[in-house]
Every structure is written in structure tokens, then in C-alpha cells.
């Protein structure tokens, strides 16, 4: 049973389920594609696990009273801003999965048949999926009036993002050389660049 009938708790839950379905569908499509080279460390595993906990923490908040001591009131305008941010996160998550196809992986790796994706949403922004996760974290903080559940994904995802992006770009440069360098010069890292 949901702890309350707060509209923003319900909106968060709907967004959470929609995001999980998008991820599940595209993860299933990537199954069977092997990794050729892994650029992956123990600290990556720890950070991914932590971010996963930060992402699912709201379920404890929504379905139990364990986190009630950390509740606080949020203004309604924040809830609606969070709703827009969550919608944006879901669109970005869907488009980045659709465009990246079998090149996607949760960990840093290059697949045997890896190709450099520069079409679709990747025409404008190099890390739309990470941008989606950041928007998700912002939405979580704006929708859930609870210090633990609201901020859990923000504080666990940001360190993962800061460590990962430079390493990912280094890996892509090593693999694709000048093609990735050119791609970097015409795209934004997290903010889309619509001009050339
Ligand atoms: N950073 C991207 C992709 C996240 S998934 C985003 O935020 O949208 C991580 C994997 O995607 C990495 O292991 C890397 O192999 C792959 N990848 C990242 N950018 C890519 C690109 N432009 N083309 C193909 N594969 C890419």
C-alpha cells in the first residue's frame, strides 16, 4: 500500500515504473552481445551499486513508514517542475537507448562489433543517457518531500558521473581516434549543441 495519496508520490511512481520498463526492454535487446574490452574497475561496481540503491530508495519511502522521520513539505510548484523534469528524463532515456542500440552497456566496455553512434539524439549531445539520469535525480528531489528518498539518487549518481565521463571519453578516443575527436568538437557533453 502507498503511504499517502500525495499526487507527486504517485507521479514519481508512474515515472519510476515507465523508466524501469524502458530500461528492461532495451537491456533484453542487448543480451547476447559480448564485450571485447572492459574498462572497468572495482570502484565502478561499488559506485554503480550505490547509485542503484539511490534510485530504488524511494520505493522504501513510498511503501513503508521507515523514512517518515525525514519528511518535509515541498511547495507545489516544485512538484510540477519535477514532473516536467521526469518527463524529460524518460524521453531522453528512451531516445538514447533506441539510438545506442546494442552498443549500450551498464559498465564501460567496447563490444566486438562496436560502432560510433553520432545520429539521432547523439548528433547534439554525447551523454544523453547520463543527462537523463541527472534529470531523473533532480526530479526525484523535486517530487519527494523526504531528505533520504528525495536526495538519495542525486548524492550517489553525481560521483559516478564525475568519475565515469572522463574515463568513457578516453576509452572512446582510444577506440575511435580522430572520428571521436571530431564528434567531440561538434557536440555538447551534457547540454545539447544545436549549432555546428
Ligand atoms: N555516455 C553515453 C552512453 C552510456 S552507456 C550516454 O550517456 O548516452 C555506456 C557505454 O556506451 C560505454 O561503455 C560506451 O561503450 C558506449 N558509448 C558511449 N558513447 C557512445 C557513442 N557515441 N557511440 C557508441 N557507443 C557509445
Amino acid at each position: 500500500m502507498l503511504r499517502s495519496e500525495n499526487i507527486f508520490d504517485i507521479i514519481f511512481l508512474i515515472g519510476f515504473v515507465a523508466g524501469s520498463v524502458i530500461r528492461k526492454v532495451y537491456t533484453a535487446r542487448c543480451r547476447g552481445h559480448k564485450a571485447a574490452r572492459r574498462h572497468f574497475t572495482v570502484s565502478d561496481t561499488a559506485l554503480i551499486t550505490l547509485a542503484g540503491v539511490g534510485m530504488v530508495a524511494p520505493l522504501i519511502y513510498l511503501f513503508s513508514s521507515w523514512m517518515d522521520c525525514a519528511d518535509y513539505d515541498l511547495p507545489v510548484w516544485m512538484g510540477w517542475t519535477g514532473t516536467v523534469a521526469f518527463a524529460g528524463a524518460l524521453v531522453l532515456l528512451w531516445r538514447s537507448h533506441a539510438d545506442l542500440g546494442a552498443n549500450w552497456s551498464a559498465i564501460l566496455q567496447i563490444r566486438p562489433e562496436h560502432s560510433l553512434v553520432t545520429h539521432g539524439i547523439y548528433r547534439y549531445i554525447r551523454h544523453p543517457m547520463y543527462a537523463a539520469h541527472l534529470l531523473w535525480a533532480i526530479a526525484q528531489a523535486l517530487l519527494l518531500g523526504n531528505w533520504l528518498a528525495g536526495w538519495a539518487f542525486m548524492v550517489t549518481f553525481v560521483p559516478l558521473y564525475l568519475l565515469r565521463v572522463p574515463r568513457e571519453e578516453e576509452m572512446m578516443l582510444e577506440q575511435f581516434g580522430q572520428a571521436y575527436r571530431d564528434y567531440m568538437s561538434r557536440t555538447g557533453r551534457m547540454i545539447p549543441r544545436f549549432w555546428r
Side-chain angles (χ1 to χ4, degrees):
M1 269 296 283
L2 263 181
R3 69 196 286 271
S4 77
E5 282 165 15
N6 180 315
I7 177 76
F8 298 120
D9 284 359
I10 295 167
I11 289 173
F12 178 85
L13 188 60
I14 294 169
F16 183 94
V17 171
S20 306
V21 169
I22 293 171
R23 170 107 318 156
K24 192 100 195 122
V25 166
Y26 285 98
T27 309
R29 289 188 192 173
C30 291
R31 207 155 285 146
H33 294 264
K34 293 215 160 40
R37 279 191 299 120
R38 285 172 185 248
H39 295 245
F40 191 56
T41 62
V42 177
S43 62
D44 288 329
T45 320
L47 286 171
I48 289 175
T49 309
L50 263 179
V53 170
M55 212 174 198
V56 301
L59 296 182
I60 300 172
Y61 160 77
L62 288 173
F63 291 103
S64 79
S65 53
W66 294 359
M67 293 183 176
D68 284 5
C69 59
D71 279 354
Y72 61 97
D73 285 329
L74 279 175
V76 170
W77 68 265
M78 277 199 188
W80 291 117
T81 311
T83 305
V84 174
F86 215 157
L90 293 177
V91 171
L92 270 181
L93 184 66
W94 162 52
R95 285 320 310 161
S96 52
H97 259 303
D99 291 333
L100 205 53
N103 298 300
W104 176 80
S105 54
I107 60 169
L108 285 189
Q109 62 181 22
I110 297 288
R111 297 184 187 277
E113 69 282 21
H114 210 108
S115 59
L116 177 60
V117 174
T118 59
H119 64 268
I121 193 130
Y122 286 86
R123 255 175 83 113
Y124 310 104
I125 172 171
R126 294 199 291 288
H127 302 291
M129 201 173 282
Y130 299 155
H133 285 78
L134 200 59
L135 268 180
W136 182 308
I138 291 169
Q140 189 166 316
L142 290 172
L143 285 165
L144 305 179
N146 182 281
W147 289 112
L148 296 170
W151 291 92
F153 192 37
M154 183 76 85
V155 298
T156 52
F157 176 71
V158 169
L160 173 64
Y161 165 78
L162 291 175
L163 244 103
R164 187 163 173 151
V165 167
R167 290 190 51 223
E168 181 168 325
E169 295 195 337
E170 206 177 289
M171 176 189 83
M172 296 301 282
L173 277 169
E174 196 184 296
Q175 178 70 16
F176 295 103
Q178 194 57 38
Y180 194 75
R181 201 161 286 119
D182 292 346
Y183 173 61
M184 285 174 92
S185 70
R186 56 179 196 268
T187 49
R189 196 177 233 181
M190 287 288 272
I191 297 168
R193 192 188 296 172
F194 295 108
W195 63 94
R196 295 282 139 147

